[in-house]
Amino acid sequence: MAQALELDDGPAAELPDVSFNVPSVEGRELDYVQEVVRGGHLSSGGDFARRAAELLAADTGSAEVLMTTSCTAALELSAMLMDLREGDTVIVPSFTFTSTGLAFARQGAGLLFCDIEPDTLGLDPAHLAALLDEHVRAVVIVHYAGVACDVQGIRDVLADWPEVQLVEDNAHGLFGTWRGEPLGSLGRFATLSFHETKNFVCGEGGALLLNDPEDVDRARVLYDKGTNRHAFMLGQVDKYTWKDTGSSFGLSDVLAAYLLGQLEQRDVVQAKRRRVSERYAAALAPYADELGFEVMRVPADRGSAHHMFYVLLSHRDRRNDVLELMRKAGVQATFHYQPLHTSDAGRSFAVRTTECPVSQDISDRLLRLPFHNNLSDRDLDRVVAAFLEASTVTLPQR
């Protein structure tokens, strides 16, 4: 039987909890916030937002990056740019956050929920092929946990449907890669999240990556409340007016300043997160067969963004028991998404019922371990010890 790691200073109950997520200051975030406040430009369209966008464009190769108030807002902007109409359909994975589908439903599209494949928990190309029809306008992919989905399999399926657009919900995947290509560079649009639970944070924030230069001019108009203000600021017109639909998507320069301080430390942050991933994998993998769990996998042709670390237990009750025991030991592990195809809103927005058994199975069995930049060796040992100990306990049948 596996032996849990022993800690030096007494029972875990005497120690503070190991938190699931702790946002951290990594560079010049606070200096930059002071600078922007003293400079007097606090709203969107400031210098720090420009610098953050330029950094992201350089790293992803995007034609343009628009800094937004959230990843949800970026998805909504991408949906607006596609001019979705009644009768149009968008395919989204069932195993994702609500925003992935909500943004397109808000624009009037019907949804089709696609199952995931078990290796990376990304969209299943075989199920996608079965769902495509003449009403589908777009397919949204998610790089779950910062590991690229089966991009080649999806491209092979979409080769027969050239009019269908590919959108990346890349909330988890900034600085991850697929076959050497940056995640976020693979679709017509890609979206990023800078929520406090992500690798790079500003409290709430996001970005839309535009990978087709032909989208840039109109995207700027929709981004600026339907006006051609950007062209005015560039001196291309002598005044700006209302031109199109749109909304107020821009990120405050106060938040952009904090975010820039984070992004400047991207190599440091990613190295810290890689360390956490590697320690978890090395400590847990030897016990997986014996204790009946699976450790998350990263295919050889993909570079992980190290957004999280998860394990899969044998069934739902077992997962819930392990979670309960870990929390009693002061380790704040958690579960993740409930499948969208079974939700009340998902059923109402779906154009027809689809079966997503892998999504349901994964949702029932997945457990996320505490994961943040500055987890100490001691805290990592506590997490591993608590998980292994919980996995050896047999609770009464329910």
Side-chain angles (χ1 to χ4, degrees):
M1 179 62 67
Q3 298 296 311
L5 300 177
E6 295 194 7
L7 302 170
D8 295 333
D9 299 332
E14 298 176 2
L15 299 170
D17 283 2
V18 180
S19 298
F20 177 73
N21 179 68
V22 180
S24 58
V25 176
E26 296 289 342
R28 298 188 62 194
E29 294 95 319
L30 303 183
D31 293 337
Y32 286 167
V33 168
Q34 285 190 338
E35 184 179 332
V36 74
V37 170
R38 288 171 178 157
H41 183 106
L42 308 184
S43 62
S44 64
D47 185 58
F48 284 98
R50 177 190 59 78
R51 290 164 63 185
E54 288 176 352
L55 183 154
L56 292 168
D59 277 14
T60 61
S62 298
E64 177 85 321
V65 175
L66 300 176
M67 307 304 299
T68 62
T69 54
S70 65
C71 187
T72 303
L75 285 164
E76 291 172 347
L77 182 50
S78 72
M80 294 173 70
L81 284 163
M82 286 192 286
D83 290 320
L84 297 169
R85 297 177 175 83
E86 184 177 354
D88 290 340
T89 301
V90 175
I91 295 176
V92 301
S94 180
F95 190 68
T96 186
F97 190 59
T98 58
S99 298
T100 310
L102 171 65
F104 302 93
R106 281 196 65 189
Q107 289 303 112
L111 302 181
L112 275 175
F113 293 106
C114 188
D115 208 359
I116 57 174
E117 47 87 24
D119 286 340
T120 65
L121 314 190
L123 201 76
D124 178 15
H127 194 209
L128 172 63
L131 296 178
L132 284 161
D133 61 28
E134 68 276 12
H135 301 292
V136 175
R137 291 284 311 282
V139 174
V140 187
I141 57 176
V142 173
H143 303 301
Y144 184 78
V147 178
C149 63
D150 185 358
V151 175
Q152 190 59 56
I154 292 165
R155 284 179 171 176
D156 290 345
V157 171
L158 293 181
D160 294 329
W161 300 86
E163 72 283 2
V164 175
Q165 303 299 311
L166 186 66
V167 180
E168 290 175 87
D169 179 343
N170 196 34
H172 295 182
L174 180 59
F175 305 127
T177 60
W178 173 78
R179 299 183 181 178
E181 297 182 54
L183 302 187
S185 68
L186 307 173
R188 177 181 171 187
F189 306 114
T191 62
L192 304 175
S193 174
F194 304 113
H195 186 269
E196 71 170 30
T197 57
K198 300 303 188 292
N199 297 30
F200 302 90
V201 307
C202 62
E204 293 274 1
L208 176 65
L209 311 185
L210 301 167
N211 293 320
D212 184 344
E214 292 187 3
D215 287 319
V216 170
D217 287 344
R218 183 162 184 247
R220 288 171 174 168
V221 170
L222 302 190
Y223 179 80
D224 272 327
K225 308 174 186 70
T227 73
N228 58 345
R229 178 179 178 275
H230 188 87
F232 171 74
M233 298 300 291
L234 292 176
Q236 297 170 350
V237 294
D238 59 1
K239 57 183 178 295
Y240 70 90
T241 59
W242 188 9
K243 293 289 188 178
D244 202 340
T245 185
S247 191
S248 182
F249 290 107
L251 181 68
S252 160
D253 222 40
V254 178
L255 298 181
Y258 192 96
L259 177 62
L260 181 64
Q262 294 256 305
L263 292 173
E264 287 179 340
Q265 297 299 310
R266 56 198 179 282
D267 292 339
V268 172
V269 169
Q270 292 304 86
K272 289 180 176 183
R273 299 180 77 90
R274 183 182 305 110
R275 167 186 164 272
V276 175
S277 293
E278 290 175 350
R279 281 183 62 97
Y280 276 148
L284 295 175
Y287 301 112
D289 291 340
E290 178 185 350
L291 297 180
F293 63 87
E294 302 171 49
V295 175
M296 67 174 285
R297 296 185 285 268
V298 181
D301 62 348
R302 294 160 218 199
S304 175
H306 306 294
H307 173 56
M308 71 171 80
F309 194 93
Y310 65 85
V311 292
L312 298 170
L313 282 298
S314 56
H315 54 83
R316 181 186 181 90
D317 287 347
R318 187 64 177 152
R319 190 275 309 275
N320 291 345
D321 290 343
V322 171
L323 270 179
E324 180 182 351
L325 291 168
M326 291 183 73
R327 289 169 177 169
K328 287 180 178 178
V331 174
Q332 299 304 311
T334 189
F335 53 88
H336 212 186
Y337 306 129
Q338 301 301 297
L340 297 184
H341 77 285
T342 64
S343 67
D344 291 343
R347 291 190 185 99
S348 69
F349 292 129
V351 296
R352 63 177 182 273
T353 301
T354 56
E355 298 297 325
C356 301
V358 179
S359 297
Q360 187 62 65
D361 175 64
I362 293 296
S363 176
D364 288 345
R365 298 193 293 122
L366 188 141
L367 182 150
R368 293 189 292 162
L369 299 178
F371 200 111
H372 51 87
N373 297 354
N374 296 311
L375 273 167
S376 68
D377 289 347
R378 177 174 180 77
D379 281 344
L380 288 166
D381 288 346
R382 280 185 64 193
V383 174
V384 171
F387 176 77
L388 293 177
E389 181 66 27
S391 298
T392 65
V393 175
T394 302
L395 296 181
Q397 294 292 319
R398 300 185 181 189

